[in-house]
Amino acid sequence: MSADPLHRAGAPPRTPTNPPPSGSGTSAIEVRRSTRRRRTVSAYREGDRTVVLIPARMSEAEEQRWVRVMLDKLAAQESKRVLGDAELAERAERLSGQYFDGRARPASVRWVTNQNTRWGSCTPSEGSIRLSHRLQGMPEYVVDYVLLHELAHLLVPGHGPRFWRLLEAYPRTERARGYLEGVVAADRLPRVPGARSE
């Protein structure tokens, strides 16, 4: 989804841009330049958009660097926030509506601590979805991907072509899969000899 133009007469210049590869799963970034802002840069989420506030005098290269820095900061803050079961169920409902036209309707969605070899599981006959507690603290787009994966199983039980076509609707599928593969690979790495754990 691209950003809509937000230039208005009398309003400070705003620059809608596409998100760079870093950051969490937002679909658009809006850079707002301010003549009153001298040195500080800040950012916040506004719906599915990230707004980055920068000084008007900043160069294009500085703008791009600060957008990446602020996206990473927001992603780090968001990854520390842990969703409860009720919020997880609400999130699943929202994702189903956004990507599957609301057709995937789980009866329950909850965190579990007994899944150490899987990120999530689904029992279509019961409509229950369980996510591993190991996902808590990971970026939101990763949790969203796992939720969508399990929601897709309510519509298509196996992992055939129809199942993967459903997940193609989520723009961060490949990135989330790569993140999870990296976590699995890092778990398999031996500890560096002589390294202290703190």
Side-chain angles (χ1 to χ4, degrees):
M1 184 181 330
S2 61
D4 53 351
L6 295 171
H7 296 281
R8 286 180 291 207
R14 300 175 181 190
T15 311
T17 59
N18 290 326
S22 62
S24 71
T26 58
S27 62
I29 298 166
E30 178 185 331
V31 176
R32 296 181 187 170
R33 292 176 173 265
S34 169
T35 53
R36 288 183 291 181
R37 191 173 282 270
R38 299 284 178 221
R39 287 176 288 182
T40 61
V41 176
S42 62
Y44 60 91
R45 303 283 191 213
E46 191 174 80
D48 68 347
R49 178 186 314 276
T50 301
V51 178
V52 181
L53 307 170
I54 63 171
R57 62 174 171 66
M58 206 173 261
S59 71
E60 191 73 29
E62 288 175 308
E63 174 185 316
Q64 290 177 6
R65 184 177 72 82
W66 275 107
V67 164
R68 283 192 298 274
V69 166
M70 297 313 289
L71 282 176
D72 288 343
K73 280 187 175 184
L74 284 173
Q77 290 169 358
E78 290 166 352
S79 71
K80 290 176 184 159
R81 188 174 157 263
V82 176
L83 301 174
D85 287 350
E87 290 173 301
L88 201 59
E90 288 171 16
R91 191 177 200 120
E93 185 179 338
R94 180 181 54 80
L95 289 168
S96 175
Q98 186 174 357
Y99 294 102
F100 303 145
D101 297 321
R103 292 178 295 133
R105 295 189 184 113
S108 68
V109 183
R110 62 190 172 93
W111 295 107
V112 294
T113 57
N114 63 350
Q115 286 188 148
N116 294 314
T117 58
R118 294 193 260 185
W119 298 113
S121 61
C122 175
T123 307
S125 61
E126 298 173 3
S128 62
I129 291 175
R130 294 157 307 280
L131 295 193
S132 171
H133 72 286
R134 295 180 309 137
L135 288 164
Q136 293 174 332
M138 289 189 187
E140 288 185 358
Y141 74 91
V142 175
V143 176
D144 285 353
Y145 164 73
V146 177
L147 263 177
L148 279 165
H149 184 107
E150 302 310 330
L151 285 166
H153 279 308
L154 293 176
L155 304 172
V156 179
H159 287 106
R162 213 171 123 233
F163 174 84
W164 292 111
R165 273 195 301 276
L166 280 174
L167 286 180
E168 285 174 4
Y170 183 56
R172 298 248 174 194
T173 290
E174 288 306 312
R175 184 172 176 163
R177 286 172 58 102
Y179 184 100
L180 293 171
E181 286 168 5
V183 170
V184 169
D187 283 347
R188 291 185 187 143
L189 291 174
R191 287 194 181 267
V192 178
R196 291 193 312 236
S197 58
E198 299 178 48

